Amino acid sequence: MTTPPQPDAAPRSDAAPWPATPGPRIEIPPAEQAARAAADPARPRWHITAPWGWLNDPNGLSVWPGPDGEDLIHLFYQHNSRAPVHDLIEWGHQYSADLIHWTDLPVALEPGPDGPDALGCWSGVVVDDVRPDGAHAPTMVYSGAAGRSTQVCCLATAVPGDALLTRWVKDAANPVIDAAPASTGLDLPEMRDHCVWRENGRWYQLMGSGIPGAGADGAQGGAALCFSGEDLRTWTYEGPLAVGDGDVSTTGTVWECPDLLRLPGPGGEVDVLTVSAWHEEATMRSMWMTGRRTGTRMEVDLVGRCDLGENYFYAPQSLALPDGRRIVIGWMQPNAVEARRLAVGWAGSMSIPRQMSIADDGTVRFVPVAEVRSLRTRRLVETDGEGPVRLRGDSLDLVLTGRLERVGDGVVIDLAVSVDGSRRTRLSLERAADPADGARGQGAWTGRLRLDRSASAEPGAPWAGEESAELSGPVPLGPCGEVDLRLLLDRSSLEVFVSGQPLSARLGVDPADQGVVVDAGALADARLEAWEMGESYPAGRLGAAPRACAQP
């Protein structure tokens, strides 16, 4: 497979997928966590967050008719409601009618206390299981953890008549796919997370894994394992859909959260596989791969980074909307030590929903969904010209366009600038050297985007990020250096898009530092617009109701 340009920063290590043995657990009363979260000036206002506690991977992204028959978008997510730490994961639950404004619902799925998910209900999807009588049964396909050699595949079905999908019954047949090697014949180090679809009267699913010796030069290669079955309860292992090269600097040794989809491309439909690269308990980055799938095998052509922010856009899950758009949401990991997370009562948020497409050069592009504009409130600036522009705010939608006419020309945007100028977070975009002959994919792009967080906060400050390495990578410019930059700043959450290539990050800055300086002096025909942004949750958000999940 064609590998993308190598990232510049080493990935940050995070928690293991699940605790090997249960230990002492932290529990904080929900009301106390919620009060801390509501008071934290770093908590995003219009990105998806849990009402309190821990949040990670998006799960079960799906559309179902609501109580009035109108479509609602459901998002489940990896959640620990007991404390903002990565432990004993359950499924949190929210819904939206517009992808922007969200309503909390009860915890949908809880682990154990014994059985195949006693140590956590991990990532998965929700599919429409049409029964022989024609009834539609929303069904969770998720990974259960219980101390076996790998995770296992489990099912839970929504209780009929519950239009908001708040009550679920675990399947008596769980696990429907056993741990490796019993289910695959392979001695695998990991096997978890699911992508499930129905095709030609048969169910198929992928599980993320890594196969020892399957990568280049005998390395362990990340893999998407394929299974098929006549129903959701009986599965046959079909082999790997695709296997990586095992390069720990790019594609990793384990693939998490595989997602298979199809998008229209310049020469016809293109198969796209997204995975999240993992290596020795380090969440590295999300990757896309394009090519052609034949049955249960995929020939990969191009490979690229979904986001230059590395693991700040992780475990993405996509959804085909009724209007034909393919949208995707990813996890924006926290960037604070555990003591800080406990102090503020929350950890983790989601990216803004993004629309996916294939560009003329065959690369996968991502842009914020159009509905994000509905959050714009007061216009802060609308100007042409090249001089520095100064404004203030920590909740912004900023658009900058123009042309970088010469190699070496660039623009600089400083965020979270302190009054005395000693602290700032710097975003820079440069027209880099022309690509080498024969370069394809992201390696042929002519722009370079960088985020420098080294001066974001004073060392040792309580709001300083645990990780402040530079994030950078190639971005596409137009043939004459045209720039189309969109910046979304939501307190500690930053997402930047340059012609459909994102860079996401979590910022650790003093909440009082709200200066913004845009220096586009090298940008011909520069145009800048910026707006303040509103809220995604209702005022006085109280959070989710008590648990309402059912047992078999």
Side-chain angles (χ1 to χ4, degrees):
M1 60 180 63
T2 302
T3 56
Q6 184 168 325
D8 301 300
R12 187 177 80 252
S13 179
D14 220 309
W18 68 89
T21 57
R25 292 205 156 91
I26 301 172
E27 294 200 24
I28 303 172
E32 187 175 338
Q33 292 185 70
R36 295 178 187 179
D40 182 22
R43 189 190 192 197
R45 299 169 62 226
W46 41 275
H47 283 70
I48 296 165
T49 57
W52 60 76
W54 174 272
L55 171 151
N56 62 294
D57 303 1
N59 295 157
L61 190 58
S62 52
V63 178
W64 300 94
D68 60 0
E70 296 297 317
D71 284 341
L72 294 178
I73 300 147
H74 289 260
L75 173 69
F76 303 85
Y77 55 91
Q78 300 284 271
H79 183 38
N80 179 9
S81 60
R82 298 162 186 84
V85 295
H86 188 255
D87 183 33
L88 203 61
I89 293 297
E90 58 206 3
W91 277 35
H93 186 193
Q94 300 182 23
Y95 75 85
S96 173
D98 63 0
L99 287 168
I100 298 299
H101 299 89
W102 295 88
T103 299
D104 296 303
L105 287 173
V107 167
L109 193 66
E110 292 182 274
D114 50 28
D117 61 8
L119 292 180
C121 300
W122 295 79
S123 293
V125 296
V126 172
V127 298
D128 187 1
D129 186 12
V130 181
R131 301 295 176 81
D133 61 0
H136 291 261
T139 302
M140 293 176 174
V141 185
Y142 68 97
S143 291
R148 302 190 186 193
S149 59
T150 66
Q151 289 176 317
V152 296
C153 177
C154 298
L155 305 179
T157 304
V159 173
D162 180 3
L164 288 179
L165 306 182
T166 61
R167 292 176 295 152
W168 297 79
V169 177
K170 296 178 184 178
D171 201 293
N174 286 342
V176 297
I177 297 179
D178 206 345
S183 56
T184 62
L186 301 174
D187 186 11
L188 304 175
E190 312 287 348
M191 191 175 80
R192 57 181 177 268
D193 312 331
H194 311 267
C195 172
V196 182
W197 71 99
R198 191 164 176 80
E199 183 177 306
N200 298 325
R202 191 169 179 84
W203 285 102
Y204 294 85
Q205 77 158 295
L206 303 178
M207 290 186 72
S209 186
I211 301 179
D217 299 323
Q220 178 174 301
L225 309 181
C226 193
F227 299 80
S228 75
E230 294 183 359
D231 57 40
L232 292 176
R233 290 157 184 81
T234 306
W235 296 93
T236 299
Y237 177 55
E238 301 286 356
L241 178 85
V243 180
D245 57 14
D247 185 342
V248 297
S249 68
T250 52
T251 58
T253 55
V254 169
W255 287 350
E256 297 191 290
C257 301
D259 191 22
L260 182 66
L261 57 132
R262 185 165 286 175
L263 293 173
E269 289 194 323
V270 177
D271 289 307
V272 181
L273 174 66
T274 63
V275 300
S276 291
W278 186 91
H279 176 64
E280 294 182 352
E281 301 183 8
T283 53
M284 297 172 63
R285 64 191 63 84
S286 56
M287 315 286 298
W288 56 256
M289 306 171 196
T290 61
R292 174 57 56 186
R293 177 175 65 90
T294 303
T296 59
R297 299 292 184 272
M298 180 173 172
E299 183 178 345
V300 174
D301 180 28
L302 286 179
V303 180
R305 295 156 69 186
C306 293
D307 194 295
L308 304 180
E310 302 292 20
N311 56 8
Y312 290 112
F313 181 78
Y314 197 79
Q317 189 168 112
S318 73
L319 170 67
L321 293 178
D323 63 13
R325 290 180 293 169
R326 173 69 70 162
I327 62 100
V328 63
I329 294 175
W331 169 39
M332 297 189 72
Q333 301 196 18
N335 183 19
V337 296
E338 184 174 289
R340 180 66 179 169
R341 299 173 193 172
L342 293 171
V344 298
W346 72 279
S349 65
M350 298 299 178
S351 71
I352 206 72
R354 304 172 178 183
Q355 183 175 348
M356 301 177 68
S357 63
I358 302 289
D360 288 343
D361 64 357
T363 59
V364 181
R365 307 287 178 93
F366 306 83
V367 296
V369 293
E371 289 86 346
V372 174
R373 297 189 186 96
S374 69
L375 289 167
R376 292 173 176 173
T377 55
R378 182 168 66 97
R379 187 187 293 272
L380 297 174
V381 65
E382 180 179 12
T383 183
D384 298 327
E386 301 174 352
V389 175
R390 300 177 185 274
L391 56 147
R392 288 187 62 80
D394 64 356
S395 180
L396 303 173
D397 183 353
L398 184 151
V399 177
L400 179 64
T401 59
R403 295 190 320 281
L404 294 173
E405 296 182 315
R406 294 173 296 275
V407 171
D409 286 351
V411 300
V412 173
I413 303 175
D414 283 337
L415 305 168
V417 181
S418 61
V419 173
D420 64 4
S422 64
R423 298 184 297 277
R424 54 109 180 107
T425 299
R426 172 159 291 180
L427 181 77
S428 59
L429 172 62
E430 179 186 18
R431 183 170 178 178
D434 293 331
D437 291 341
R440 299 178 63 217
Q442 293 178 334
W445 290 349
T446 58
R448 189 79 181 177
L449 187 66
R450 290 183 173 85
L451 182 69
D452 179 0
R453 296 175 291 170
S454 61
S456 293
E458 297 290 342
W463 42 77
E466 183 179 16
E467 195 268 279
S468 59
E470 179 181 281
L471 300 168
S472 67
V475 292
L477 303 179
C480 297
E482 291 88 351
V483 168
D484 181 2
L485 184 150
R486 179 95 175 267
L487 183 152
L488 300 175
L489 176 64
D490 186 6
R491 294 180 167 177
S492 63
S493 171
L494 174 66
E495 295 179 84
V496 182
F497 301 81
V498 177
S499 298
Q501 176 58 45
L503 185 156
S504 302
R506 185 76 67 197
L507 305 184
V509 300
D510 187 331
D513 294 345
Q514 297 191 16
V516 178
V517 181
V518 181
D519 185 354
L523 193 65
D525 297 328
R527 180 167 179 79
L528 172 68
E529 296 180 272
W531 297 262
E532 281 185 347
M533 300 290 273
E535 300 266 0
S536 280
Y537 291 94
R541 177 187 185 190
L542 297 178
R547 291 170 176 77
C549 50
Q551 299 295 327

